[in-house]
Amino acid sequence: TGPPTSKPFGPTSIGMDISFPGVEHVYGIPEHADSLALKTTKSTDPYRLFNLDVFEYELYNPMALYGSVPVMLAHNEKRTVGVFWFNAAETWIDISSNVADKSIFSNLADFVTGNNEIPQTD
């Protein structure tokens, strides 16, 4: 009981978690002023997929530039896999890695103790 709304059930969203076991780095989602190998977003903003036209932009920034190409690839010495995200809505992509997110001291401790953790990128 109130005025009619275009969203009678409220705002909606969709989410998905994808993991790449055995992979240290992921690539793809072009149209960003960043490196080819996507960096973790543990301490930064997530990558944004959104169609827009940006005249001036900052280098090494995860914000969208022009169109969005929702393809992400993961590669290791045994296989290459990819994900195509077919969704018209604005999308935010967080990237984390159990290997890339470690500090130099954690990597050194793993080497000394012989920790053979399998890399995984989420």
Side-chain angles (χ1 to χ4, degrees), residues 12-18 29 31-32 38-42 44-52 54 61-65 68-72 83 85-96 122:
T12 59
S13 66
I14 184 171
M16 178 179 280
D17 291 331
I18 300 170
I29 58 171
E31 300 297 339
H32 295 85
L38 300 174
K39 299 176 182 142
T40 65
T41 57
K42 183 177 180 179
T44 64
D45 291 331
Y47 287 94
R48 180 184 185 198
L49 295 181
F50 188 67
N51 294 331
L52 58 126
V54 177
N61 190 318
M63 295 307 292
L65 287 181
S68 61
V69 182
V71 175
M72 183 180 292
V83 172
W85 177 254
F86 191 61
N87 183 16
E90 178 178 22
T91 302
W92 299 89
I93 299 175
D94 271 319
I95 297 174
S96 65
D122 300 320

Side-chain angles (χ1 to χ4, degrees), residues 59-118:
L59 293 176
Y60 307 108
N61 190 318
M63 295 307 292
L65 287 181
Y66 304 109
S68 61
V69 182
V71 175
M72 183 180 292
L73 302 171
H75 175 75
N76 65 17
E77 56 278 347
K78 293 183 180 178
R79 65 186 61 92
T80 299
V81 294
V83 172
F84 175 70
W85 177 254
F86 191 61
N87 183 16
E90 178 178 22
T91 302
W92 299 89
I93 299 175
D94 271 319
I95 297 174
S96 65
S97 169
N98 65 348
V99 176
D101 288 340
K102 288 187 175 184
S103 69
I104 187 78
F105 300 111
S106 296
N107 287 332
L108 184 60
D110 287 347
F111 178 75
V112 170
T113 61
N115 184 3
N116 293 328
E117 184 177 20
I118 297 172

